[in-house]
Amino acid sequence: MLFSVISIQGTALISQFILAGILPIDEFAIVRTVEATLQMLATVAPWGMSLLVVRLVSQDHKLIELKSLFTTHVLLAGLSALVLVIVGMAIIEFYSSQTGEYLKLLLWVLVLTSLSRTSLNYFYGKEQYGLISTFTFVISVASLVLLVVFTNYWQLNGWVLSRYVAETMVLVVALFFVRTKLTWKLNSRVESKKMLSEGAAVSLSLVFRSAIDNLPLLIFAYLSISQEETALYGLCTLLITGAMIMPSSLISVLLPRYGKLQKQAPDELAVYHAKHERYVIVAGIGIGLVITALGPAISAVYDQKYSGLLPYLALTSSILPIRAYTALNANLLFVHHQTATGTKINAVCAALCMILCFAIYPASGLWGVIVSSIITEAVAAALFKYHSSKLAFVPIEGRNI
């Protein structure tokens, strides 16, 4: 699963590390601002279908029924992304002219990613990681080579072109592997409405979660007059996002297993969950310490262009175990069909993050923004734990929802 996540999601992160070295610091600030915005939009683009597919295929369904449900999920993901892209053009107004132009160029990537991620998640739900990971890894290596070549030749325009080439290749591979899982027979309107309803809750929860992750950087980019500080903080948040790949992989593997246990042996789920809570916390702490220790080496790789990175990175790394702990408890709420609860928590915490950042920034600058982010993460972790601890571990069919 780690290999798979690195192949698909990690490529976007690795490409930004490469761009941090190739591009001037002011152009890298544009890249990070645009990518952070796309990351937020990508969470809502598939309307929750990409995550619902994992739960769908992890549980028992007749083959014909599963094909129909899966095909409907994929189509809804593509259509919702298309609508978002058309409406989302308005967001460009919040950026400087150059940043806005590149955001406008890259918005259509969201349609490609929604279709490909929703398709690939079929195999995550079935816990079939090996074959698809191998092919996506080959594509990822090829796309990174293209990124280096295109960016060296065309600078920011090369970055845009390489993104489209990479996402198109992933989509082609994804559709090739799921071609036998699709059908012309779609679900009824009633079933589709149910999907859209739950998808809305999932999507809102994810977008608020993404806002918690990315708002500090976007707010700082908006308030700060220093492109150098924005790029520095952008690299710092990029390292944290990359470091989350390991605990996120563990959490992603656990999601279909949580779904199976909830269906087949719900009494075992509480014990299973408690054990893995410890695992993700330890993983988060360990990776945070490693990332902090590598701070000087990272600065050296970029010829001291980001020489002030270490103190900011050391503080921001404390987010890792908190964020991993939150995500695992969010899994538990999701398999219990308590998505609405998670949405409310993430909405409250996103609002809290915005308020804290704007309130603390005038007095403390970047340090205040980072502290605001840590406080928000801690509140989210506490709220998710509180609500997950109240769950009754009995079969869904035996409860009143």
Side-chain angles (χ1 to χ4, degrees), residues 247-279:
S248 293
S249 298
L250 174 59
I251 293 164
S252 297
V253 166
L254 291 175
L255 179 57
R257 296 183 184 182
Y258 274 28
K260 289 179 181 178
L261 284 173
Q262 178 56 38
K263 191 86 172 178
Q264 300 169 4
D267 53 322
E268 298 177 13
L269 183 53
V271 177
Y272 191 75
H273 176 71
K275 178 176 69 173
H276 286 88
E277 278 185 317
R278 296 191 294 271
Y279 290 168

Side-chain angles (χ1 to χ4, degrees), residues 18 124-125 260-261 349 353 368:
I18 293 172
Y124 294 163
K260 289 179 181 178
L261 284 173
C349 290
C353 182

Side-chain angles (χ1 to χ4, degrees), residues 56 62-76 179-189 191-192 195:
L56 168 71
K62 294 179 180 178
L63 182 59
I64 295 176
E65 180 187 14
L66 179 58
K67 283 187 174 183
S68 179
L69 287 166
F70 175 62
T71 303
T72 305
H73 278 75
V74 173
L75 287 176
L76 289 176
R179 69 192 186 283
T180 60
K181 319 296 181 186
L182 302 172
T183 180
W184 292 107
K185 184 179 179 181
L186 303 180
N187 279 95
S188 65
R189 288 186 179 182
E191 289 297 324
S192 296
M195 288 182 196

Side-chain angles (χ1 to χ4, degrees), residues 66-361:
L66 179 58
K67 283 187 174 183
S68 179
L69 287 166
F70 175 62
T71 303
T72 305
H73 278 75
V74 173
L75 287 176
L76 289 176
L79 288 172
S80 64
L82 182 61
V83 172
L84 177 67
V85 168
I86 295 171
V87 176
M89 291 293 183
I91 201 171
I92 296 172
E93 301 300 323
F94 293 96
Y95 292 91
S96 63
S97 57
Q98 191 176 16
T99 303
E101 284 301 313
Y102 282 103
L103 179 59
K104 183 178 180 180
L105 288 172
L106 278 168
L107 271 179
W108 294 97
V109 165
L110 295 173
V111 178
L112 303 177
T113 58
S114 294
L115 290 170
S116 63
R117 303 309 185 260
T118 305
S119 299
L120 290 173
N121 278 4
Y122 181 96
F123 300 98
Y124 294 163
K126 290 295 185 182
E127 299 184 73
Q128 298 173 353
Y129 309 118
L131 183 63
I132 198 70
S133 298
T134 303
F135 278 87
T136 52
F137 179 77
V138 172
I139 291 174
S140 299
V141 172
S143 68
L144 289 176
V145 173
L146 290 175
L147 174 72
V148 173
V149 174
F150 289 176
T151 307
N152 274 315
Y153 194 77
W154 290 300
Q155 297 297 297
L156 287 176
N157 290 333
W159 157 58
V160 172
L161 179 59
S162 68
R163 285 281 271 126
Y164 275 104
V165 172
E167 294 299 341
T168 300
M169 288 192 296
V170 173
L171 177 58
V172 169
V173 169
L175 293 178
F176 173 78
F177 278 105
V178 300
R179 69 192 186 283
T180 60
K181 319 296 181 186
L182 302 172
T183 180
W184 292 107
K185 184 179 179 181
L186 303 180
N187 279 95
S188 65
R189 288 186 179 182
V190 174
E191 289 297 324
S192 296
K193 286 181 179 179
K194 288 181 180 179
M195 288 182 196
L196 288 171
S197 178
E198 186 171 12
V202 172
S203 192
L204 283 173
S205 181
L206 290 173
V207 77
F208 287 134
R209 177 62 250 183
S210 182
I212 295 170
D213 297 343
N214 294 292
L215 269 178
L217 172 60
L218 295 177
I219 291 173
F220 184 72
Y222 174 74
L223 295 175
S224 177
I225 59 174
S226 171
Q227 286 284 73
E228 183 176 347
E229 276 198 329
T230 301
L232 190 67
Y233 186 41
L235 181 60
C236 187
T237 56
L238 184 62
L239 286 164
I240 298 305
T241 304
M244 271 298 295
I245 287 179
M246 173 63 83
S248 293
S249 298
L250 174 59
I251 293 164
S252 297
V253 166
L254 291 175
L255 179 57
R257 296 183 184 182
Y258 274 28
K260 289 179 181 178
L261 284 173
Q262 178 56 38
K263 191 86 172 178
Q264 300 169 4
D267 53 322
E268 298 177 13
L269 183 53
V271 177
Y272 191 75
H273 176 71
K275 178 176 69 173
H276 286 88
E277 278 185 317
R278 296 191 294 271
Y279 290 168
V280 297
I281 290 174
V282 171
I285 292 173
I287 295 169
L289 291 173
V290 170
I291 290 294
T292 302
L294 290 174
I298 294 169
S299 296
V301 167
Y302 294 116
D303 295 326
Q304 303 303 320
K305 187 163 60 172
Y306 300 94
S307 57
L309 178 70
L310 183 58
Y312 298 125
L313 182 60
L315 182 59
T316 310
S317 294
S318 63
I319 287 174
L320 287 167
I322 306 173
R323 188 175 290 179
Y325 185 72
T326 301
L328 189 63
N329 281 293
N331 265 7
L332 201 57
L333 290 178
F334 179 67
V335 297
H336 280 81
H337 290 241
Q338 299 294 312
T339 307
T341 300
T343 302
K344 292 173 185 176
I345 294 172
N346 285 332
V348 168
C349 290
L352 174 64
C353 182
M354 183 179 294
I355 292 169
L356 288 174
C357 285
F358 277 106
I360 299 177
Y361 173 82

